[in-house]
Amino acid sequence: MNILLIITDQQSNRALSCTGNPWLNTPNMDALAASGTRFTKSYCASPVCGPSRACIATGRMPHENGVLVNGMSIHDDMPTMGEIFRDAGYRTAWTGRWCVPGNGPDIRGFDCLHDISQPLGRGIYADNHVADCAIDFLEKDHDQPFLLGVSLCNPHDICYWVMQQSIPEGVVDGEMERLKQTADSLDFGFDPSESDLPLLPDNFAIDPLEPAFISKCRKRRHYGQEPAFTWDWDDLTWRRYLYAYYRLTERVDVQIGRVMSVLADSGLQEDTLVVLSSDHGEGMASHHWVVKLGLYEEPMRVPLIFSSPGSIPEQVDTASLTSSIDILPTVCDYAEVDCPPVTGTRLRPVISDPKWVVRDALVAQLHPDPKNLDMQGRMLRTQRYKYTAFSEGTNPEQLFDIQEDPGETTNLALGDSHSNLTRDHRQMLTEALAQSADHFELPSTV
């Protein structure tokens, strides 16, 4: 069986029209979802590009594979998806973003289809080229099974749209100005009327008692500094931001449609497992948050779709807690390729039988500052609740009833009325961390 892995960048789970979102139209991703299994409770393992992609490539968490923040490399002795499939006799190829430096020109087990010596550039310019490279590969004759990674850039360009807005008074410095100048060079071509703008989400407001850890992240001027550009935004600017995000998502959908059309025309579709996901989500104005590097649902929850005619049933799984670390063991299972020990879980059993329980709880990691790796957060997601713990600051815990409060607006960890529930989830997280040798320590104030 061939494997086609399509990864978008910065696409939240709700940024698909098949989820009922009326503000965008993604017919090609919708068609892929309709032809296979779509998981709705799917989370990235870490909400930033390099660490998340390393988790997809290894099936292991950041503290295991060595990639805690952007700019770090996967441990040399840890096999990647490309190496595993290449050793199993697959032709392994990659086009588009990788974001994990230091692993050589072949991207650790993959032949790179684009010129790696030339920067890809921003998504509005690069994604057409990335799709072209994938199409050229698919149109060739194949005498061995293949694993093709197609890693598109958008809707990540929303970062640069955010930076095109004015720098608030009091935040101007050389780095911020340089970033804005780079962003200003991009022409997105957006000029919507007010009537075209999406409405603000119900969870738009900032919790006045939000963890000090999150408040500190809002002020950072390096590595995920985009929230600092939003300090003086009015409601209209926030709505324009959502409009831009949805248009960028629609643009990447067009490129996915081009690749899928050629897969079908080439006669390869019947023998190919297509996996669609994203490295992480986007703030989408929830809690006045933009881009990634946060543990709220919008940055954490991503699309996850498996499609293969005759092998994958057409269904929407609304129960299973899935993670990006599950992709590697799952594609190995379908391809009958030996998978090394990983932290992720095979999803084939639950795809075949929805009664199967993938896991009772899921953990994700956050390292928001490469200048301070001790600054960390952890998320524990159970079927109904979501618990987060931060390494420093006041109000370092959050507990949300996602079933009754999907917008995460009421922190049950504050006060004593839900102290037993908070304690139970704190204990579950402690046990899960011990099981994977994650040495994150709950804050001393807990």
Side-chain angles (χ1 to χ4, degrees):
M1 174 178 281
N2 304 311
I3 308 293
L4 172 58
L5 173 63
I6 302 174
I7 303 175
T8 59
D9 195 316
Q10 211 150 307
Q11 183 180 1
S12 290
N13 177 61
R14 289 194 297 108
L16 287 169
S17 50
C18 65
T19 66
N21 189 330
W23 301 109
L24 80 168
N25 184 29
T26 54
N28 297 299
M29 288 186 275
D30 291 356
L32 192 57
S35 69
T37 296
R38 176 169 67 90
F39 292 95
T40 67
K41 291 180 180 175
S42 176
Y43 290 82
C44 62
S46 184
V48 69
C49 299
S52 179
R53 291 165 184 271
C55 292
I56 292 172
T58 63
R60 307 290 287 270
M61 297 296 290
H63 72 281
E64 297 175 304
N65 62 41
V67 185
L68 302 179
V69 297
N70 285 344
M72 300 180 78
S73 301
I74 297 170
H75 292 316
D76 288 339
D77 60 352
M78 183 166 290
T80 67
M81 181 185 294
E83 292 168 324
I84 294 165
F85 274 79
R86 177 176 288 179
D87 290 346
Y90 272 66
R91 166 79 193 281
T92 56
W94 190 273
T95 178
R97 304 195 76 180
W98 178 246
C99 299
V100 186
N103 297 132
D106 67 344
I107 317 186
R108 281 292 296 273
F110 291 95
D111 296 323
C112 190
L113 300 179
H114 63 268
D115 185 354
I116 202 169
S117 68
Q118 300 296 320
L120 281 169
R122 310 311 174 199
I124 57 173
Y125 309 124
D127 279 349
N128 189 76
H129 175 59
V130 171
D132 283 345
C133 291
I135 288 168
D136 288 344
F137 177 89
L138 292 172
E139 289 179 334
K140 297 181 185 306
D141 292 331
H142 298 279
D143 57 3
Q144 62 186 120
F146 63 78
L147 164 61
L148 172 62
V150 182
S151 184
L152 297 151
C153 300
N154 264 322
H156 181 276
D157 282 356
I158 193 62
C159 296
Y160 307 106
W161 188 95
V162 169
M163 292 181 208
Q164 280 188 348
Q165 312 315 300
S166 61
I167 304 176
E169 186 176 348
V171 234
V172 180
D173 59 29
E175 175 65 8
M176 297 283 276
E177 189 61 41
R178 183 190 67 79
L179 290 168
K180 186 177 187 307
Q181 289 175 359
T182 300
D184 285 345
S185 68
L186 303 181
D187 180 11
F188 293 108
F190 300 145
D191 187 23
S193 64
E194 185 173 344
S195 62
D196 292 329
L197 300 179
L199 300 178
L200 293 175
D202 292 339
N203 60 348
F204 177 60
I206 297 175
D207 180 356
L209 295 177
E210 79 174 0
F213 183 102
I214 299 176
S215 301
K216 183 177 180 179
C217 289
R218 292 183 188 278
K219 301 173 184 177
R220 188 178 51 245
R221 303 185 193 181
H222 63 278
Y223 193 75
Q225 61 285 309
E226 291 89 351
F229 284 84
T230 71
W231 291 357
D232 62 356
W233 282 12
D234 57 17
D235 286 3
L236 203 60
T237 305
W238 279 103
R239 292 174 64 192
R240 287 184 13 243
Y241 145 78
L242 286 172
Y243 178 92
Y245 179 64
Y246 290 142
R247 301 294 79 74
L248 292 170
T249 306
E250 290 174 341
R251 289 184 181 184
V252 80
D253 182 75
V254 170
Q255 302 304 328
I256 291 171
R258 294 179 60 221
V259 173
M260 290 303 299
S261 178
V262 171
L263 182 72
D265 292 344
S266 65
L268 294 168
Q269 192 167 18
E270 297 297 320
D271 298 318
T272 302
L273 170 63
V274 182
V275 184
L276 171 68
S277 192
S278 190
D279 55 353
H280 51 77
E282 161 67 38
M284 294 177 66
S286 66
H287 316 282
H288 280 63
W289 195 259
V290 294
V291 302
K292 52 266 187 177
L293 286 166
L295 294 176
Y296 285 122
E297 289 287 273
E298 289 80 4
M300 289 301 304
R301 214 155 159 177
V302 294
L304 182 60
I305 298 167
F306 293 85
S307 175
S308 181
S311 299
I312 306 291
E314 299 173 2
Q315 60 189 342
V316 179
D317 184 317
T318 61
S320 299
L321 295 170
T322 62
S323 169
S324 55
I325 59 174
D326 299 335
I327 292 175
L328 174 58
T330 301
V331 295
C332 284
D333 191 0
Y334 277 103
E336 298 182 350
V337 167
D338 289 338
C339 186
V342 295
T343 309
T345 299
R346 297 182 305 120
L347 300 180
R348 187 173 184 175
V350 75
I351 290 174
S352 300
D353 179 7
K355 295 179 181 178
W356 187 275
V357 177
V358 175
R359 52 170 62 85
D360 295 323
L362 175 149
V363 176
Q365 301 182 199
L366 171 65
H367 296 265
D369 192 342
K371 296 182 179 181
N372 180 10
L373 293 180
D374 290 331
M375 185 182 182
Q376 303 178 39
R378 294 294 185 273
M379 178 196 91
L380 178 85
R381 177 70 159 92
T382 59
Q383 267 298 327
R384 178 165 179 169
Y385 296 97
K386 178 173 162 186
Y387 170 77
T388 56
F390 299 105
S391 59
E392 61 180 59
T394 57
N395 298 338
E397 292 181 296
Q398 293 174 302
L399 180 67
F400 299 107
D401 183 344
I402 300 298
Q403 179 176 301
E404 299 297 326
D405 178 26
E408 300 170 290
T409 59
T410 302
N411 182 6
L412 303 178
L414 299 178
D416 297 327
S417 58
H418 293 85
S419 58
N420 290 342
L421 191 61
T422 302
R423 184 191 63 239
D424 291 345
H425 281 74
R426 186 187 305 139
Q427 181 61 30
M428 280 189 281
L429 176 60
T430 300
E431 293 171 359
L433 298 180
Q435 188 174 3
S436 70
D438 181 351
H439 301 299
F440 173 80
E441 295 184 6
L442 293 172
S444 57
T445 53
V446 173

